[in-house]
Amino acid sequence: MNPSPSLGQRLSHARERGFVGRAQELDLFGSALDGKPDSFAVLFVHGPGGIGRSSLLRRFAGLARSAGRTLTRIDGRSLGLSPESFEAEAAAAFDDERPVLLIDTFEQCQGLET
């Protein structure tokens, strides 16, 4: 007898069903994961609130995991505003040869950009 899906699994499935479009962005991110010569090292996902940036980053995270990449996710809302706090949160990305570092709500810690 199969157990019922957990609430987390049900929410994840609902998010997957609700995610539409963004094929161009997903292809672009996939090319970087594959290490194609014309790919990039930094990708900025930007736009007004409510357009699905966080949903897109969740999808990027799934692609990175599927590609076997080390994934580090940071939420700017919970990050301290010092370079040391950022480095502590992102430490796993610094220890890997081909990391994926996703920073959501970066505008909350944009002062760290320099």
Side-chain angles (χ1 to χ4, degrees), residues 71-75 78-95 101 103 112:
L71 174 67
T72 303
R73 294 183 68 181
I74 296 175
D75 188 329
S78 61
L79 186 63
L81 295 179
S82 72
E84 295 79 18
S85 65
F86 176 82
E87 288 177 7
E89 289 285 326
F94 299 134
D95 293 335
L101 173 62
I103 306 171
L112 296 173

Side-chain angles (χ1 to χ4, degrees), residues 16-113:
E16 288 293 317
R17 281 193 323 254
F19 188 89
V20 295
R22 303 289 188 132
Q24 184 177 2
E25 291 90 343
L26 293 169
D27 288 345
L28 181 65
F29 187 73
S31 71
L33 288 175
D34 293 340
K36 293 189 177 165
D38 60 343
S39 65
F40 53 88
V42 176
L43 172 66
F44 288 98
V45 177
H46 59 90
I51 65 165
R53 291 173 302 178
S54 295
S55 294
L56 182 59
L57 289 180
R58 277 193 295 275
R59 183 59 66 100
F60 285 172
L63 291 173
R65 279 199 269 325
S66 293
R69 302 290 285 274
T70 299
L71 174 67
T72 303
R73 294 183 68 181
I74 296 175
D75 188 329
R77 293 173 293 200
S78 61
L79 186 63
L81 295 179
S82 72
E84 295 79 18
S85 65
F86 176 82
E87 288 177 7
E89 289 285 326
F94 299 134
D95 293 335
D96 194 276
E97 187 176 310
R98 295 182 55 202
V100 173
L101 173 62
L102 299 177
I103 306 171
D104 198 1
T105 323
F106 181 73
E107 62 273 12
Q108 297 295 319
C109 57
Q110 199 164 6
L112 296 173
E113 210 168 33

